[in-house]
Each structure stands twice: as structure tokens, then as C-alpha cells.
Amino acid sequence: RRRPRAMEAPGDLAPDFALEGEPDRDDAIGEHIEVTAEGFIADSLATIKRVPGVVGSVVVDRAGAVVRSTLGADDAAERGALYASLARQARELMVHGLGDEPQMISVRTKKEEVVVACSEAYALVVVQQPAA
């Protein structure tokens, strides 16, 4: 049986119910789980890869060097450098022209669609088959 549990704060993603016999948040088990950046990136790329139509993804730094990829080494290096350059150029244009920074860039060709999620230090490039 389920019993209601009050949310602790706005934006709290905890469920609004608890199973009977489940400890409240204050009575946590005391188990420590360590999450590393490398593990988080690997899990995120694996999750993205499972999305229907996704061919692969590449994480690159600002210089275009591959940090992590689900594509082959040559393909990842080529795409990483190309789309990191695109992200840099888009950022320069937008910062100087509009005073804003791009967060996401989408490029669609006849063969594929590429989505580039930009951040200050890294870019995530996701290659997918265009929807029919």
C-alpha cells in the first residue's frame, strides 16, 4: 500500500508517495553511491545511442578533440573537429551580433541530421537518421 509523502521543496523530483515500510528521507540507509563524470558520460552516451534513429554521438572539447564517442575513431575525429568548429563560429557570430550564446545547433542534410549541444568547454554531437 502507498501512503502520501509531502514534497520537500519546489522542483524536488522525489515521488509524492512512499511504499509502506520504506524509510523516510531522514531515515536513509546510509549507503554511499559515488558517481564519476566518466561513468555519467558513458551512461548518457549509451542512453542516447538507444534512441531510435541515432547513429552515434561524440563529446568534444572546444578545440575539437574527441573526449568520448560511440562512433568509430576516424569518424568521431572528423565529425568532432567539423562540428566543434561550427559551434565556435556560431558562438562568435551570436556573441558579437546578438550578445547571446547558442545552446543547440541543428544541421540537416539529405543523408543525416546532426544536433550539437553547446557548452562553454564541451560540445555534444548527436548524429541521427532524418525522420522519413
Side-chain angles (χ1 to χ4, degrees):
R1 292 186 312 167
R2 297 178 181 203
R3 59 182 163 79
R5 178 191 302 171
M7 297 297 271
E8 290 184 1
D12 188 355
L13 298 178
D16 59 351
F17 61 85
L19 297 177
E20 262 189 48
E22 179 184 70
D24 290 332
R25 287 184 156 199
D26 296 335
D27 301 333
I29 298 171
E31 193 175 314
H32 178 73
I33 299 173
E34 187 172 330
V35 177
T36 63
E38 186 67 26
F40 179 74
I41 292 170
D43 288 346
S44 298
L45 291 180
T47 301
I48 292 169
K49 179 77 173 159
R50 287 191 299 266
V51 173
V54 170
V55 175
S57 53
V58 183
V59 177
V60 294
D61 63 13
R62 283 185 68 107
V66 176
V67 175
R68 192 74 186 237
S69 175
T70 61
L71 296 171
D74 292 339
D75 197 22
E78 181 181 350
R79 289 173 187 275
L82 176 69
Y83 290 109
S85 174
L86 176 67
R88 271 194 312 277
Q89 291 175 10
R91 184 177 188 279
E92 288 174 13
L93 286 171
M94 290 189 73
V95 166
H96 296 301
L98 301 174
D100 200 1
E101 295 184 23
Q103 292 183 341
M104 190 167 295
I105 302 167
S106 179
V107 178
R108 186 172 180 161
T109 68
K110 290 179 183 178
K111 295 181 181 179
E112 64 190 16
E113 182 176 21
V114 178
V115 179
V116 182
C118 309
S119 77
E120 190 66 32
Y122 298 97
L124 170 63
V125 179
V126 178
V127 181
Q128 56 190 16
Q129 297 171 342

